Amino acid sequence: MDWSQKLYFTAFLIVAAAIRGIHGYTMVSGTVFCDQCKDGQISLFDYPLNGINVAMACPDNNGQMTTWGEETTNWLGNFALKFDGNPDLSGCVAQVTSSNEQGKRGCGTGGGPGKSPRLIFRMFDMNMYTIDPLISMPSDPMSFCPKTSYPQPHPNPVSPATPPTLPYPPTPSLPHLPSWPPLPPMPHFPYLDASACPHQSWMMPEYRCYWKVINPDLKVGVVFGLIAARKYGSDITLWEGMQGRGEPYKTLLREGTTALLNSYNSVQFPYHPLSVIQHMNWALMGSTQQVMHTALNFLRANSGNGRTTCKFNPCK
């Protein structure tokens, strides 16, 4: 390599480094849940909340907390904040700040404590952070929530005085009581049953009524986020993604969408809805081998792992 080639090579490295600095970005994502029981924890009674404003504040040079960004949750309760470059997020806190009219319906009167971002992925100048689930609360706990308050014992219990022994008359025999009718059967909640259905079942017309939480016409990028939109495009729908086959990334989209549907349909499905989205994005940021591995794990879960069957009944 002569001196001119070395000069061009050095100039290329300088320009490449400058471009890297310009195009670096950081993303912070998380989910807001409605804490229906106001117990400060995510439980079976809680659900993702749409229309909630989340702000992230970070300390400035004087140690004062300054708002860096604000975003509103989508219908899956997810939010994502994007920052140019590679800012230092140590000391930053994300917190529920307010809600729009849609978010105020029943669960927008107060937010829980703020959470700090955790780094989950870093490659070149791309940083991915996640926020542990944030909560927003209703004004009062729902009536179906378990009671957590119980009567406390007296701090200094006093033993009652022993009464004198008196002769008691013999106890009369009780009259025969009529038998009570049997109690009505408990209502059945299909969501509590273990069920796992393959993608073929989800695409049958007689089972379209089970698409309750997400719509088949929704865009893949809206449901799975920015990384999925960059990979699959901004126009492909969930229904179109369910028909992919013969290629690792198409198989991942098909089985990932199926896993998301199953997670909303059965509380006993191995993946939580948020977990499906996270595993999907981690796979898309990794190698082809990781894509195939994640798609295979989704496929096994959707087939029930040989233990769980599909509990679909034809729609009426």
Side-chain angles (χ1 to χ4, degrees):
M1 180 183 296
D2 58 24
W3 66 271
S4 59
Q5 291 177 323
K6 292 180 180 180
L7 181 60
Y8 284 125
F9 182 71
T10 303
F12 170 79
L13 292 180
I14 294 174
V15 173
I19 293 175
R20 270 185 70 187
I22 293 173
H23 293 284
Y25 72 93
T26 298
M27 180 177 293
V28 181
S29 61
T31 306
V32 178
F33 287 86
C34 176
D35 184 11
Q36 296 197 96
C37 296
K38 300 191 71 172
D39 56 3
Q41 301 177 355
I42 306 301
S43 65
L44 175 64
F45 302 100
D46 305 331
Y47 60 90
L49 198 55
N50 176 29
I52 297 295
N53 295 333
V54 178
M56 193 170 77
C58 301
D60 58 15
N61 296 332
N62 299 322
Q64 299 295 323
M65 298 301 288
T66 305
T67 301
W68 280 22
E70 190 171 359
E71 190 58 72
T72 303
T73 58
N74 59 18
W75 61 273
L76 279 175
N78 300 329
F79 65 91
L81 297 163
K82 183 179 178 182
F83 305 99
D84 293 331
N86 301 289
D88 181 13
L89 300 186
S90 59
C92 297
V93 175
Q95 191 168 15
V96 172
T97 56
S98 61
S99 59
N100 60 24
E101 290 303 321
Q102 186 173 2
K104 290 179 181 177
R105 298 174 186 171
C107 202
T109 59
K115 302 291 182 66
S116 299
R118 294 186 294 106
L119 180 66
I120 59 173
F121 178 82
R122 172 174 289 164
M123 177 178 290
F124 301 114
D125 286 335
M126 183 175 67
N127 302 290
M128 300 290 294
Y129 289 83
T130 184
I131 301 289
D132 291 335
L134 301 174
I135 59 175
S136 184
M137 303 179 185
S139 56
D140 297 301
M142 298 293 103
S143 59
F144 51 76
C145 293
K147 305 299 182 182
T148 56
S149 59
Y150 300 94
Q152 300 296 323
H154 193 279
N156 297 312
V158 179
S159 301
T162 304
T165 305
L166 297 176
Y168 292 98
T171 303
S173 59
L174 296 176
H176 177 70
L177 298 177
S179 59
W180 294 96
L183 294 175
M186 292 292 292
H188 177 247
F189 299 99
Y191 178 70
L192 301 178
D193 294 339
S195 176
C197 301
H199 74 277
Q200 295 93 335
S201 298
W202 284 101
M203 297 184 68
M204 292 181 179
E206 59 267 32
Y207 299 142
R208 284 292 290 269
C209 61
Y210 286 91
W211 289 68
K212 298 177 181 178
V213 179
I214 55 180
N215 189 291
D217 295 327
L218 282 172
K219 305 298 184 183
V220 168
V222 173
V223 176
F224 289 104
L226 180 62
I227 297 176
R230 289 177 175 174
K231 179 62 183 178
Y232 298 106
S234 58
D235 294 329
I236 185 173
T237 65
L238 295 179
W239 185 259
E240 293 169 343
M242 293 279 283
Q243 304 177 42
R245 54 178 49 85
E247 192 266 338
Y249 286 93
K250 292 182 180 179
T251 302
L252 174 65
L253 180 57
R254 182 192 70 209
E255 297 302 326
T257 304
T258 306
L260 186 62
L261 290 165
N262 281 320
S263 68
Y264 279 121
N265 185 61
S266 173
V267 72
Q268 297 191 47
F269 190 70
Y271 292 92
H272 185 273
L274 183 59
S275 176
V276 174
I277 296 174
Q278 288 178 336
H279 281 80
M280 184 85 172
N281 282 276
W282 290 341
L284 291 175
M285 292 186 296
S287 63
T288 305
Q289 183 178 3
Q290 187 174 352
V291 169
M292 296 175 63
H293 180 74
T294 303
L296 180 60
N297 288 339
F298 283 154
L299 177 62
R300 290 171 178 169
N302 295 331
S303 63
N305 288 314
R307 299 186 299 270
T308 305
T309 59
C310 182
K311 300 298 193 304
F312 280 174
N313 293 314
C315 303
K316 296 180 180 180

